[in-house]
Amino acid sequence: MDRLEHIFKLQERFDTALIEHRNLHHISKEEWIQKEILAIISELAELLDEVNFKWWKNPQELDEVAIKEELVDILHFFVSMCLKMNMTAEDLYQGY
């Protein structure tokens, strides 16, 4: 299986489990997308903190592990939004 397709399958399983576990069946597609956009913004802020954007502070050594974790978190929410819009890995690839 293609790695991107595998990511989509894993995310679909995670989203289904989350909906069941947290009893989130009532949330509309529109609200899901809004929540995932906010989550991505939050993750982007965390990523920004990792790359010393605060010029008024002494820069810290880059933590590449933390940076990669934030990038993966962003991907989680992005793929989840794709799934909510019935977009497949192939659709994403073709759009790209």
Side-chain angles (χ1 to χ4, degrees), residues 10-45:
L10 291 171
Q11 187 65 48
E12 185 174 29
R13 276 190 264 169
F14 178 81
D15 286 354
T16 299
L18 179 66
I19 289 166
E20 291 297 320
H21 182 72
R22 301 270 186 213
N23 193 25
L24 302 172
H25 302 279
H26 63 283
I27 298 178
S28 69
K29 183 189 298 189
E30 180 180 34
E31 190 176 351
W32 269 113
I33 298 294
Q34 291 169 2
K35 289 179 182 305
E36 288 169 331
I37 291 168
L38 288 171
I40 287 174
I41 291 169
S42 175
E43 296 298 338
L44 285 168

Side-chain angles (χ1 to χ4, degrees), residues 42-52 60-76:
S42 175
E43 296 298 338
L44 285 168
E46 291 176 17
L47 177 58
L48 194 54
D49 283 340
E50 292 294 337
V51 293
N52 296 310
Q60 303 297 314
E61 185 174 334
L62 291 182
D63 181 346
E64 290 191 14
V65 171
I67 292 169
K68 290 175 184 179
E69 287 173 1
E70 298 305 339
L71 291 168
V72 170
D73 289 347
I74 293 164
L75 181 61
H76 274 290

